Amino acid sequence: MDQESSSSQHPKGHQRTRSAVKATRPRSSTKGPLDVGDTPLASHLLPPQTQQTDQQTSSSHAEQQHQMMIPGGHGHQARAPVSGSPLLPRSPAAHSPAPPHSRRQPPPLSLSPAGPSPRMSFSPGPGSGAASGRGAPRPPPDFSHLLRPDIYHELAPLNVPPPFRQSAKQPSASTPIPDLLARGHFRAAAVAAAQALTGANGAPAPDPADHALILSLFYVRLACLTLIDATALATQEVKALEDLNATFYVDETGHNLIPWELRILAVRLQAISFADQRRAVMSYYDLAREARLRLAEAAAKHDNSEKQLWRERLNDLGVRVAGVLVEMDDLKGAVEHLTSLKESDNGSGKMQMARALLWLHLGDVGAARGCVKPAEGSEGPSDNMTERILHALCDMADGKYSEALNQWEELSKVSDNEMIGVNRGVCLLYVGRLQEGKDLLEGLVDSGRTSHTLLFNLTTMYELCTERSRTLKVQLTEKVAALEPTSFGWEKTNADFKL
Amino acid sequence: MNHQRFPSHEVKEPHSVSLKVLRLSRPSLVPQFPLHPPVIPPSLTSPIAGTSPAALPQRHLPPLPASLAYSPLGPIKKHGEDAHEAEGAGGERTRDGYYNTEPFILSPIVNLPPSFGSAYVGETFSCTLCANHNAPPIGEGGTSVKKTIRDVKIEAEMQTPSGQTTKLVLGDTAGDDNAGSGSSTANAGNDNAITGSNAIGSEDSNNTTEAKTETETVATLDLLPPSTTLQKILNFGLKEEGTHVLGVTVSYYEATETSGRTRAFRKMYQFICKPSLIVRTKAGPLPSLPPVKAGNGKRRRRWVLEAQLENCSEDAILLEKAQLAEVQRGLKWRDCNWAGIGVGVGQRESTTTGEGISQQSQDQSQGPSRRPFLQPGESEQLCFIIEEMGGGEGDGDGGEQEEEREAVEVEEKNGRIDFGVMALAWRTEMGNRGSLLTLKLGTKHVKPR
């Protein structure tokens, strides 16, 4: 076509795209997984004689010693490059299809200028680095990427009802974090953790090498965000950690130095942010593999308390996998998985109850009843309680609300547990006794219980019993705000009261 | 005649009684995401950060109480006792343990239904109606005259897509009541059949006793004090697809010191009932069996009835029962599905179809359930074998029938043999029940003897 026509105001017909505006794909390196792990940063900052790079990153049996230069660090102090993470270099070669364990990008580490080039053996995956740690001690990893303020969101109390915001019970800004957690001030603790990490509250930021403190604060931040229903923010902030299985996080004993609780939470948050729950299942299995290795190590050292710790962590992981399967709506899979788990030895009936609840969720009430049977030589009233609770729930699932109510009433004489009270209140609604149910739930609030479920059920009853439910809900916020803060939490959001 | 309606200013005055409704589907188990407590290095006790000491000893600690669905803490103790004392109970089993299933995602505490949800054919629609006396707060604008509300009446009726309107029984309890539609006679015939097929499992015993004591379709209350509620519950079996309209009429007598008047208002609630299971069937002949001794001497014909059930709802369905019902006299059928090995006999009374089915289908707690669990969109194939009895034989299922087996001929109408209907029952989340009967199934391929 004519080139002249393209400049007219009526572009018609075909236009030839000029080459200059053609979208180009960024030039990508042709290096593959077996190639050298050099980052653009590394090639910048390394002095020429240390340009020789590692040759064996791909092997997963990396016990060889190498005169290895850790790129990116020579004479270069703590701050991580502003543009990106220290773990994944900018070059697209990093995103090669090789599995993460077989190729490690050594991150830029802060080196003391006078130190010799340290040797580093590659630990390709969690739990296999037992033999590493030879030679000079590795310099501590640099966590300054978690100290940047831009990864933390603002947490304004926009959705907090006024009685909480204006209450005298709000903590002061200088309250230490453990105190905030103990008294349930989770939003304040999240803010304090972010401030402690970024040095915003006047105190200096932590030493970038102090990974225990930094990661602990980071965990406090993420955990508190999930506790105040700001999980979406947490899923974004967790991205700063990148890949938790990277060698960056492996310490000199070869173990992952991220606190276990943070790894567990990160699995869930990353699965949400990628909208892929299967990742969570895979990650839990990876953690389980590591837990087994640690368990074996502890057994070899005859360290019973550590053995116990890892065993409990393993059991915990098993149940969490079942939870993920439930979230994925694979209920049959969850049932089979939960059935395959060994019951822990303390016989608390927790696993039986968990299996029964899963059957109820699925709809098979008969199987649920069959889950909790009185054990031979049972432990007496406590197992009986589990059974009674379960039978009451099964009656509700069968639509027999009157009978369920009788059972909850009997149970509430023995226990003033919040769950029993709330379930009893719900049953009262289903048998036409709304007023009593409402009074019961209000009584629970008066006695200091404030779970989301209790507030939700109570506000639903408010909506049913009057045209002016908003007045009642506001009164409820005042009542809850007047309660003493406990570790269960104190401050609530508007959504908790359906406002 | 030009009849002019007398405009009354009273119409504009707001009602003292309001109506609120909530659909009472099953309560749901509340999920929880337990978090391990943070291990806080000692340097955190002051905001000044320092280098942390060597690795802290680790223990597997119980989860943060706030991450659980309900509190492990006991009630606030009076007289100065610290509520924090009760915190030690978290994770340990004390006498007042909290019976939480952590770290499992489901907890034993339940939530009321957060929304209307979806209504499906075969389910029971349960709904609570609340007539509330909203006393205006003292000091507000409007009349400060004290009003007494008497003779409150609630009536409800359901209009189905077929145009039929049924007055609803207003009881006190929610429950599965597929037959509880009240005083409409047109449904009565169907109700019996449905009740019969629901009898397995005897789950309706609670409901039938309730139905006897409250057969009224009008709920009344003599006096409704301020800030109180007259609450009633209705249960309606959904049998038709399409738009249903629930109409509720509330009337009351409002008395002040000087005067009184009767007022009434009506509210309509509309919802759509969707199909949940699609049943497709196909019948085909099988080789016939030799005649029985002392029978009518003819070869006994056999057929296979195949069915495909498709879950076209948005919820997962657990199939509890798939059986033939109202099977024609002279035929017997065998269940070749998960319930296994039952033999059912076609009898005169449709309600006793349940007998003769093998015990396996009734015993629900027999090891891991083999009942099919259908995700939305999934299908399940079923198969039944139907054969002629040929008269005069002793049945293999125990023969408890005393009646003589005369040579019952299988009826053929216009070359079509009717087998019976299929009765299906299922459960969805938290045991929510559904059931339906298909139309008469049969075959046109009458194989010559």
Side-chain angles (χ1 to χ4, degrees):
Chain A
M1 275 277 136
D2 247 273
Q3 283 289 38
E4 284 91 81
S5 63
S6 63
S7 59
S8 72
Q9 278 129 8
H10 319 281
K12 45 186 181 218
H14 296 281
Q15 286 203 41
R16 198 165 151 272
T17 312
R18 299 198 312 261
S19 342
V21 297
K22 200 186 292 179
T24 52
R25 191 169 163 272
R27 296 188 80 95
S28 48
S29 166
T30 51
K31 298 200 170 108
L34 298 182
D35 291 327
V36 147
D38 64 327
T39 68
L41 212 53
S43 48
H44 257 91
L45 298 172
L46 281 178
Q49 80 270 23
T50 58
Q51 210 46 297
Q52 101 194 114
T53 45
D54 183 41
Q55 295 295 332
Q56 57 85 59
T57 47
S58 63
S59 164
S60 57
H61 305 293
E63 293 305 322
Q64 306 141 25
Q65 301 221 9
H66 280 270
Q67 189 71 13
M68 235 292 318
M69 202 48 194
I70 293 92
H74 187 75
H76 163 69
Q77 239 318 331
R79 295 304 298 174
V82 181
S83 55
S85 84
L87 297 177
L88 294 178
R90 278 301 182 188
S91 97
H95 304 291
S96 64
H101 293 309
S102 67
R103 178 167 178 269
R104 291 286 170 211
Q105 284 294 338
L109 301 176
S110 55
L111 285 183
S112 52
S117 45
R119 290 170 185 179
M120 194 163 100
S121 64
F122 268 57
S123 320
S128 60
S132 66
R134 302 183 217 174
R138 197 183 117 169
D142 176 2
F143 279 84
S144 42
H145 58 284
L146 292 181
L147 305 179
R148 286 164 27 216
D150 48 319
I151 56 180
Y152 301 110
H153 296 82
E154 278 291 320
L155 284 184
L158 290 173
N159 58 348
V160 177
F164 291 95
R165 265 185 278 156
Q166 297 150 7
S167 166
K169 299 189 168 69
Q170 283 284 355
S172 69
S174 59
T175 318
I177 291 179
D179 289 353
L180 290 174
L181 292 175
R183 298 181 64 77
H185 296 296
F186 300 116
R187 189 175 52 83
V191 169
Q195 286 178 340
L197 280 167
T198 58
N201 60 354
D207 181 6
D210 187 357
H211 57 85
L213 178 63
I214 293 178
L215 291 174
S216 173
L217 284 169
F218 196 68
Y219 176 69
V220 168
R221 168 83 181 178
L222 294 180
C224 290
L225 284 177
T226 59
L227 289 175
I228 61 173
D229 288 328
T231 311
L233 296 182
T235 57
Q236 291 179 27
E237 293 185 10
V238 79
K239 290 180 182 165
L241 283 180
E242 307 262 348
D243 178 10
L244 278 82
N245 294 320
T247 32
F248 178 68
Y249 292 114
V250 179
D251 67 9
E252 45 288 337
T253 61
H255 298 142
N256 196 305
L257 49 74
I258 303 181
W260 186 258
E261 60 269 10
L262 177 52
R263 294 170 80 185
I264 301 273
L265 178 57
V267 167
R268 177 167 165 243
L269 292 177
Q270 286 176 340
I272 296 175
S273 75
F274 287 110
D276 185 6
Q277 292 290 342
R278 291 169 304 165
R279 279 178 78 101
V281 178
M282 287 164 9
S283 306
Y284 283 140
Y285 270 93
D286 280 343
L287 288 175
R289 186 162 25 104
E290 183 177 341
R292 285 198 192 91
L293 282 163
R294 296 292 294 263
L295 186 57
E297 284 173 19
K301 288 189 298 190
H302 302 290
D303 185 345
N304 279 333
S305 63
E306 209 177 312
K307 262 174 64 176
Q308 183 64 14
L309 168 69
W310 286 107
R311 194 174 292 130
E312 284 172 342
R313 285 180 171 174
L314 208 47
N315 291 337
D316 180 80
L317 284 173
V319 180
R320 284 180 192 265
V321 168
V324 177
L325 292 174
V326 171
E327 279 192 280
M328 285 166 58
D329 279 331
D330 182 6
L331 297 180
K332 277 290 193 182
V335 164
E336 297 200 15
H337 179 84
L338 214 49
T339 317
S340 72
L341 293 177
K342 229 171 27 169
E343 172 104 24
S344 56
D345 296 326
N346 61 359
S348 62
K350 206 198 277 190
M351 281 298 289
Q352 290 177 321
M353 174 81 105
R355 289 191 194 112
L357 290 181
L358 187 49
W359 280 120
L360 278 182
H361 186 66
L362 203 149
D364 196 337
V365 183
R369 286 190 201 274
C371 271
V372 178
K373 289 224 161 38
E376 276 45 71
S378 69
E379 294 190 9
S382 48
D383 277 343
N384 207 4
M385 285 291 280
T386 311
E387 203 187 320
R388 286 163 71 185
I389 290 171
L390 192 63
H391 281 310
L393 287 171
C394 288
D395 280 341
M396 287 170 79
D398 273 337
K400 299 184 201 162
Y401 298 104
S402 303
E403 280 131 354
L405 179 60
N406 291 338
Q407 297 189 53
W408 290 122
E409 279 173 352
E410 291 299 309
L411 281 167
S412 64
K413 291 179 191 156
V414 178
S415 161
D416 52 8
N417 190 299
E418 184 182 357
M419 175 259 300
I420 292 176
V422 168
N423 290 355
R424 188 171 145 219
V426 166
C427 274
L428 282 168
L429 174 64
Y430 279 72
V431 297
R433 289 154 68 177
L434 166 63
Q435 307 259 108
E436 290 176 52
K438 188 162 60 84
D439 294 339
L440 171 66
L441 295 187
E442 282 180 342
L444 284 173
V445 174
D446 285 334
S447 77
R449 329 298 181 88
T450 55
S451 64
H452 297 293
T453 302
L454 170 58
L455 296 178
F456 175 81
N457 290 334
L458 182 52
T459 48
T460 303
M461 289 191 184
Y462 283 159
E463 287 171 353
L464 267 185
C465 74
T466 173
E467 194 73 29
R468 288 189 213 89
S469 56
R470 197 189 159 81
T471 316
L472 289 178
K473 291 176 189 174
V474 168
Q475 284 174 4
L476 185 62
T477 62
E478 289 161 8
K479 201 198 286 192
V480 176
L483 291 172
E484 278 306 310
T486 66
S487 66
F488 189 70
W490 170 73
E491 194 182 81
K492 304 287 173 198
T493 62
N494 283 330
D496 282 320
F497 300 97
K498 288 206 203 170
L499 284 169
Chain B
M1 177 169 77
N2 200 5
H3 189 96
Q4 184 175 9
R5 190 154 164 270
F6 190 75
S8 160
H9 70 276
E10 287 176 324
V11 176
K12 298 203 182 73
E13 199 178 309
H15 284 273
S16 314
V17 174
S18 66
L19 176 71
K20 295 285 183 186
V21 306
L22 176 69
R23 181 182 176 195
L24 293 180
S25 23
R26 291 284 194 276
S28 48
L29 296 172
V30 176
Q32 60 187 1
F33 301 97
L35 293 171
H36 294 295
V39 176
I40 302 179
S43 52
L44 252 191
T45 50
S46 71
I48 311 247
T51 324
S52 65
L56 306 153
Q58 303 178 72
R59 294 181 299 135
H60 184 80
L61 299 164
L64 282 174
S67 60
L68 301 174
Y70 57 96
S71 170
L73 305 178
I76 289 180
K77 312 246 195 288
K78 307 276 164 50
H79 307 303
E81 273 188 58
D82 204 340
H84 293 268
E85 278 181 14
E87 289 186 39
E92 303 157 19
R93 277 183 57 245
T94 63
R95 242 188 97 252
D96 188 9
Y98 62 109
Y99 307 107
N100 196 305
T101 42
E102 50 85 15
F104 191 49
I105 192 179
L106 296 174
S107 64
I109 200 172
V110 298
N111 260 349
L112 287 171
S115 64
F116 184 86
S118 297
Y120 293 109
V121 175
E123 292 181 341
T124 301
F125 174 77
S126 279
C127 182
T128 181
L129 310 174
C130 299
N132 310 306
H133 178 183
N134 303 301
I138 300 165
E140 251 193 19
T143 57
S144 52
V145 179
K146 184 167 167 263
K147 289 185 187 164
T148 312
I149 307 291
R150 311 190 66 99
D151 289 332
V152 182
K153 287 195 183 63
I154 308 181
E155 291 172 89
E157 55 188 27
M158 182 78 78
Q159 182 180 49
T160 54
S162 57
Q164 188 179 31
T165 305
T166 315
K167 281 202 181 310
L168 300 171
V169 170
L170 296 176
D172 285 321
T173 314
D176 293 330
D177 184 3
N178 226 4
S181 314
S183 54
S184 156
T185 50
N187 284 334
N190 285 341
D191 289 352
N192 284 338
I194 294 171
T195 316
S197 55
N198 272 347
I200 294 174
S202 66
E203 59 266 6
D204 287 331
S205 56
N206 169 46
N207 208 49
T208 44
T209 47
E210 296 298 323
K212 282 179 196 147
T213 53
E214 176 65 80
T215 49
E216 297 166 20
T217 55
V218 179
T220 58
L221 185 66
D222 209 26
L223 172 67
L224 190 65
S227 304
T228 59
T229 301
L230 169 61
Q231 182 197 6
K232 284 294 173 191
I233 295 179
L234 62 91
N235 301 302
F236 180 79
L238 295 169
K239 296 187 193 64
E240 295 171 51
E241 253 179 75
T243 305
H244 288 65
V245 180
L246 171 68
V248 185
T249 312
V250 177
S251 66
Y252 58 100
Y253 181 78
E254 184 183 75
T256 60
E257 279 145 21
T258 51
S259 65
R261 58 183 175 181
T262 301
R263 301 189 67 189
F265 64 89
R266 184 179 165 83
K267 277 196 177 179
M268 320 276 278
Y269 303 93
Q270 182 175 310
F271 62 93
I272 298 194
C273 183
K274 298 181 271 197
S276 57
L277 273 185
I278 296 180
V279 184
R280 303 179 180 93
T281 59
K282 183 178 84 169
L286 290 175
S288 55
L289 298 172
V292 287
K293 303 188 175 86
N296 55 12
K298 299 187 194 163
R299 290 191 69 85
R300 293 175 290 152
R301 292 172 293 177
R302 284 194 309 167
W303 299 270
V304 59
L305 179 64
E306 292 173 273
Q308 182 194 55
L309 305 185
E310 181 188 336
N311 177 4
C312 54
S313 70
E314 285 143 16
D315 306 324
I317 278 181
L318 178 75
L319 283 177
E320 268 200 330
K321 180 185 88 169
Q323 291 167 1
L324 294 185
E326 298 171 29
V327 178
Q328 200 195 135
R329 293 180 56 207
L331 290 175
K332 68 179 180 185
W333 62 277
R334 189 184 326 152
D335 185 350
C336 306
N337 305 309
W338 71 89
I341 312 117
V343 177
V345 182
Q347 300 201 358
R348 220 168 281 144
E349 309 87 36
S350 56
T351 53
T352 50
T353 321
E355 298 174 18
I357 306 299
S358 92
Q359 286 304 315
Q360 286 184 5
S361 59
Q362 295 184 15
D363 185 351
Q364 295 170 347
S365 55
Q366 199 189 31
S369 174
R370 288 179 295 133
R371 284 178 279 187
F373 185 66
L374 302 178
Q375 295 286 353
E378 266 192 76
S379 304
E380 175 79 8
Q381 301 283 130
L382 303 175
C383 172
F384 303 92
I385 294 185
I386 301 164
E387 58 190 50
E388 288 182 297
M389 290 200 296
E393 67 180 38
D395 294 317
D397 59 339
E400 60 266 2
Q401 284 83 13
E402 300 278 334
E403 55 195 270
E404 269 196 11
R405 296 241 163 254
E406 68 268 23
V408 175
E409 288 283 333
V410 169
E411 279 182 47
E412 286 177 36
K413 291 179 193 162
N414 305 323
R416 182 191 156 89
I417 297 184
D418 281 335
F419 297 142
V421 300
M422 198 184 310
L424 301 166
W426 65 89
R427 305 266 222 166
T428 58
E429 187 189 325
M430 271 303 273
N432 187 25
R433 282 207 180 82
S435 66
L436 61 84
L437 296 179
T438 64
L439 301 173
K440 280 232 177 265
L441 307 168
T443 178
K444 286 201 176 67
H445 302 284
V446 182
K447 204 171 164 185
R449 293 177 190 271

